Amino acid sequence: MAEIRLAIVGLGKIAHDQHLPAVAATPGISVAAVASRNATLDGVPCFLTIEALLASGVEVDAVALCTPPMGRHRLAAAALRAGKHVLLEKPPGASVAEIAPLEALARDRGLTLFATWHSRFAPAVEPARALLAEAEIRSVRVNWKEDVRHWHPGQEWIWQPGGLGVFDPGINALSIVTRILPRPLFVTEAVLEFPGNRATPIAASLRLGDAAGLEVAVEFDWRQTGPQSWDIHVDTADGALVLSGGGRHLSRDGAILHDAPEREYTEIYHRFVALIGAGASEVDLAPLVHVADAFMLGERRVVAEFHW
């Protein structure tokens, strides 16, 4: 298969920090163009909009959409109609229902649509999944708490409708939980804390369950200072498993079982290249469905205003 010529749409912090280095480290794919309102990249053609890119005649085979989720459906549809494979940053869209038409369009055009969940590619996630496949799981507790000022400095879009608020990082935890647990989950209750001056929550408490009666307790908070917490605790009949560091480390009863450097985005691009080569798509909406259900079921509480 010829090298895939990739266009990155939305050259912001996540594209600079993760996508560009990951593409550079992945055989079979390279950056051929950029479309971004606020940034350019030396050495490749740059455009202000995806429409200008697609009309330019610059040859690209695939598009990675690294924009905020609001409005991403239009960008993905434009790329698919132009015959380009599409990689969607997480979350795949601003709503659940907007993804099905993209899946249909990709299928009709024989193109790859890849809805990525980068935390699923953390090195200890698959080992945890293998251990839990046949385990007697008694309870699950998730603590995903970080400092929004550090990770999203000045990014107002996260507080706007569709920006998800604390669910922007929280959906990473849900993407791991829905991968490692053997049965589908559903939200049973939620409490969402909204700053008085913001449209999206700064903290959330969820309870999820499954058909066998398993209970999963989830705590998200964007007000964490000091050490950051990205931990999933699973109590099993064989001991207490802890998946920590956002999925980098796995231990059981304090003994390290798996610990490896982060390669999430490199693994994403290896997967994207493989999907294109196989003529396949990969779209799992479970984490986004849980977020949507939390907003639908959740009790809304107003808390102190948030200011940068």
Side-chain angles (χ1 to χ4, degrees), residues 166-167 190-194 201-206 291 294-303:
V166 75
F167 286 102
V191 175
L192 312 182
E193 297 186 2
F194 288 75
I202 198 168
S205 297
L206 311 182
V291 171
F295 275 100
M296 184 165 62
L297 290 173
E299 173 190 346
R300 178 184 176 124
R301 296 179 181 173
V302 178
V303 296

CSV table of all heavy atoms in Angstrom, one decimal, residues 166-167 190-194 201-206 291 294-303:
chain,number,residue,atom,x,y,z
A,166,VAL,N,-16.1,18.8,32.2
A,166,VAL,CA,-15.3,17.8,32.8
A,166,VAL,C,-15.4,16.4,32.1
A,166,VAL,O,-14.5,15.6,32.3
A,166,VAL,CB,-15.7,17.6,34.3
A,166,VAL,CG1,-17.0,16.9,34.5
A,166,VAL,CG2,-14.5,17.0,35.1
A,167,PHE,N,-16.4,16.2,31.3
A,167,PHE,CA,-16.5,15.0,30.5
A,167,PHE,C,-15.5,14.9,29.4
A,167,PHE,O,-15.3,13.9,28.8
A,167,PHE,CB,-17.9,14.8,30.0
A,167,PHE,CG,-18.9,14.4,31.0
A,167,PHE,CD1,-19.8,15.3,31.6
A,167,PHE,CD2,-19.0,13.1,31.5
A,167,PHE,CE1,-20.7,14.9,32.5
A,167,PHE,CE2,-19.9,12.7,32.5
A,167,PHE,CZ,-20.8,13.6,33.0
A,190,ALA,N,-26.8,10.2,38.1
A,190,ALA,CA,-25.7,11.1,37.9
A,190,ALA,C,-26.0,12.4,38.6
A,190,ALA,O,-27.2,12.9,38.7
A,190,ALA,CB,-25.5,11.4,36.4
A,191,VAL,N,-24.9,13.1,39.1
A,191,VAL,CA,-25.0,14.4,39.6
A,191,VAL,C,-24.0,15.3,38.9
A,191,VAL,O,-22.8,14.9,38.9
A,191,VAL,CB,-24.8,14.5,41.2
A,191,VAL,CG1,-24.8,15.9,41.7
A,191,VAL,CG2,-25.8,13.6,41.9
A,192,LEU,N,-24.4,16.4,38.3
A,192,LEU,CA,-23.5,17.2,37.5
A,192,LEU,C,-23.4,18.6,38.2
A,192,LEU,O,-24.4,19.2,38.5
A,192,LEU,CB,-24.0,17.4,36.1
A,192,LEU,CG,-24.4,16.1,35.4
A,192,LEU,CD1,-24.8,16.4,33.9
A,192,LEU,CD2,-23.3,15.1,35.3
A,193,GLU,N,-22.2,19.0,38.4
A,193,GLU,CA,-22.0,20.3,39.1
A,193,GLU,C,-21.5,21.4,38.0
A,193,GLU,O,-20.5,21.2,37.4
A,193,GLU,CB,-20.9,20.2,40.2
A,193,GLU,CG,-21.3,19.3,41.3
A,193,GLU,CD,-20.3,19.3,42.4
A,193,GLU,OE1,-19.3,20.0,42.4
A,193,GLU,OE2,-20.6,18.5,43.4
A,194,PHE,N,-22.4,22.4,37.8
A,194,PHE,CA,-22.1,23.4,36.9
A,194,PHE,C,-21.7,24.7,37.6
A,194,PHE,O,-22.4,25.2,38.4
A,194,PHE,CB,-23.4,23.7,36.1
A,194,PHE,CG,-23.8,22.7,35.1
A,194,PHE,CD1,-24.4,21.5,35.5
A,194,PHE,CD2,-23.6,22.9,33.7
A,194,PHE,CE1,-24.7,20.5,34.6
A,194,PHE,CE2,-24.0,21.9,32.8
A,194,PHE,CZ,-24.6,20.7,33.2
A,201,PRO,N,-20.4,21.1,32.9
A,201,PRO,CA,-20.0,20.8,34.3
A,201,PRO,C,-18.5,20.9,34.5
A,201,PRO,O,-17.7,20.5,33.7
A,201,PRO,CB,-20.6,19.5,34.5
A,201,PRO,CG,-20.7,18.8,33.1
A,201,PRO,CD,-20.9,20.0,32.2
A,202,ILE,N,-18.2,21.2,35.8
A,202,ILE,CA,-16.8,21.2,36.2
A,202,ILE,C,-16.6,19.9,37.1
A,202,ILE,O,-15.4,19.5,37.3
A,202,ILE,CB,-16.5,22.4,37.1
A,202,ILE,CG1,-15.0,22.6,37.2
A,202,ILE,CG2,-17.2,22.4,38.4
A,202,ILE,CD1,-14.6,24.0,37.8
A,203,ALA,N,-17.6,19.2,37.5
A,203,ALA,CA,-17.5,18.0,38.2
A,203,ALA,C,-18.7,17.1,38.0
A,203,ALA,O,-19.8,17.6,37.6
A,203,ALA,CB,-17.3,18.2,39.7
A,204,ALA,N,-18.6,15.8,38.2
A,204,ALA,CA,-19.7,14.9,38.0
A,204,ALA,C,-19.5,13.6,38.8
A,204,ALA,O,-18.3,13.1,38.9
A,204,ALA,CB,-19.9,14.5,36.5
A,205,SER,N,-20.6,13.1,39.3
A,205,SER,CA,-20.6,11.8,40.0
A,205,SER,C,-21.6,10.9,39.3
A,205,SER,O,-22.7,11.3,39.1
A,205,SER,CB,-21.0,11.9,41.5
A,205,SER,OG,-20.1,12.7,42.2
A,206,LEU,N,-21.1,9.7,38.8
A,206,LEU,CA,-22.0,8.8,38.1
A,206,LEU,C,-22.1,7.5,38.8
A,206,LEU,O,-21.1,7.1,39.5
A,206,LEU,CB,-21.5,8.6,36.7
A,206,LEU,CG,-21.1,9.8,35.8
A,206,LEU,CD1,-20.6,9.2,34.4
A,206,LEU,CD2,-22.2,10.7,35.7
A,291,VAL,N,-22.0,9.5,28.3
A,291,VAL,CA,-22.0,10.9,28.6
A,291,VAL,C,-23.3,11.5,28.3
A,291,VAL,O,-23.9,12.3,29.1
A,291,VAL,CB,-20.9,11.6,27.8
A,291,VAL,CG1,-21.0,13.2,28.0
A,291,VAL,CG2,-19.5,11.2,28.3
A,294,ALA,N,-25.7,10.6,31.0
A,294,ALA,CA,-25.4,11.4,32.2
A,294,ALA,C,-26.1,12.7,32.2
A,294,ALA,O,-26.7,13.2,33.2
A,294,ALA,CB,-23.9,11.5,32.5
A,295,PHE,N,-26.0,13.4,31.0
A,295,PHE,CA,-26.6,14.7,30.9
A,295,PHE,C,-28.1,14.5,30.9
A,295,PHE,O,-28.8,15.4,31.5
A,295,PHE,CB,-26.2,15.4,29.6
A,295,PHE,CG,-24.9,16.1,29.6
A,295,PHE,CD1,-23.7,15.6,29.2
A,295,PHE,CD2,-24.9,17.4,30.2
A,295,PHE,CE1,-22.6,16.3,29.3
A,295,PHE,CE2,-23.7,18.1,30.2
A,295,PHE,CZ,-22.5,17.6,29.8
A,296,MET,N,-28.7,13.5,30.4
A,296,MET,CA,-30.1,13.3,30.4
A,296,MET,C,-30.7,12.9,31.7
A,296,MET,O,-31.7,13.4,32.1
A,296,MET,CB,-30.5,12.2,29.3
A,296,MET,CG,-32.0,12.0,29.2
A,296,MET,SD,-32.4,11.0,27.7
A,296,MET,CE,-31.6,9.4,28.1
A,297,LEU,N,-30.0,12.1,32.5
A,297,LEU,CA,-30.4,11.6,33.8
A,297,LEU,C,-30.0,12.5,34.9
A,297,LEU,O,-30.5,12.4,36.0
A,297,LEU,CB,-29.9,10.2,34.0
A,297,LEU,CG,-30.5,9.1,33.2
A,297,LEU,CD1,-29.8,7.8,33.4
A,297,LEU,CD2,-32.0,8.9,33.5
A,298,GLY,N,-28.9,13.3,34.7
A,298,GLY,CA,-28.2,13.9,35.8
A,298,GLY,C,-29.0,15.0,36.5
A,298,GLY,O,-29.7,15.8,35.9
A,299,GLU,N,-28.8,15.0,37.9
A,299,GLU,CA,-29.3,16.1,38.7
A,299,GLU,C,-28.3,17.3,38.5
A,299,GLU,O,-27.1,17.1,38.7
A,299,GLU,CB,-29.4,15.7,40.1
A,299,GLU,CG,-29.7,16.9,41.1
A,299,GLU,CD,-29.5,16.5,42.5
A,299,GLU,OE1,-29.4,15.3,42.8
A,299,GLU,OE2,-29.5,17.4,43.4
A,300,ARG,N,-28.8,18.4,38.2
A,300,ARG,CA,-27.9,19.6,38.0
A,300,ARG,C,-27.8,20.4,39.3
A,300,ARG,O,-28.8,20.8,39.9
A,300,ARG,CB,-28.5,20.5,36.9
A,300,ARG,CG,-27.6,21.7,36.6
A,300,ARG,CD,-28.3,22.6,35.6
A,300,ARG,NE,-27.5,23.9,35.4
A,300,ARG,CZ,-27.1,24.3,34.2
A,300,ARG,NH1,-27.2,23.6,33.1
A,300,ARG,NH2,-26.4,25.4,34.2
A,301,ARG,N,-26.6,20.7,39.7
A,301,ARG,CA,-26.3,21.5,40.8
A,301,ARG,C,-25.4,22.7,40.4
A,301,ARG,O,-24.4,22.5,39.7
A,301,ARG,CB,-25.6,20.7,41.9
A,301,ARG,CG,-26.5,19.6,42.5
A,301,ARG,CD,-25.8,18.8,43.6
A,301,ARG,NE,-26.6,17.7,44.1
A,301,ARG,CZ,-26.2,16.7,44.9
A,301,ARG,NH1,-24.9,16.8,45.4
A,301,ARG,NH2,-27.0,15.8,45.3
A,302,VAL,N,-25.7,23.8,40.9
A,302,VAL,CA,-24.9,25.0,40.6
A,302,VAL,C,-23.9,25.2,41.7
A,302,VAL,O,-24.2,25.2,42.9
A,302,VAL,CB,-25.8,26.3,40.4
A,302,VAL,CG1,-25.0,27.5,40.2
A,302,VAL,CG2,-26.8,26.1,39.3
A,303,VAL,N,-22.6,25.4,41.3
A,303,VAL,CA,-21.5,25.6,42.2
A,303,VAL,C,-20.9,26.9,41.9
A,303,VAL,O,-21.3,27.7,41.1
A,303,VAL,CB,-20.6,24.4,42.2
A,303,VAL,CG1,-21.2,23.1,42.6
A,303,VAL,CG2,-20.0,24.3,40.8
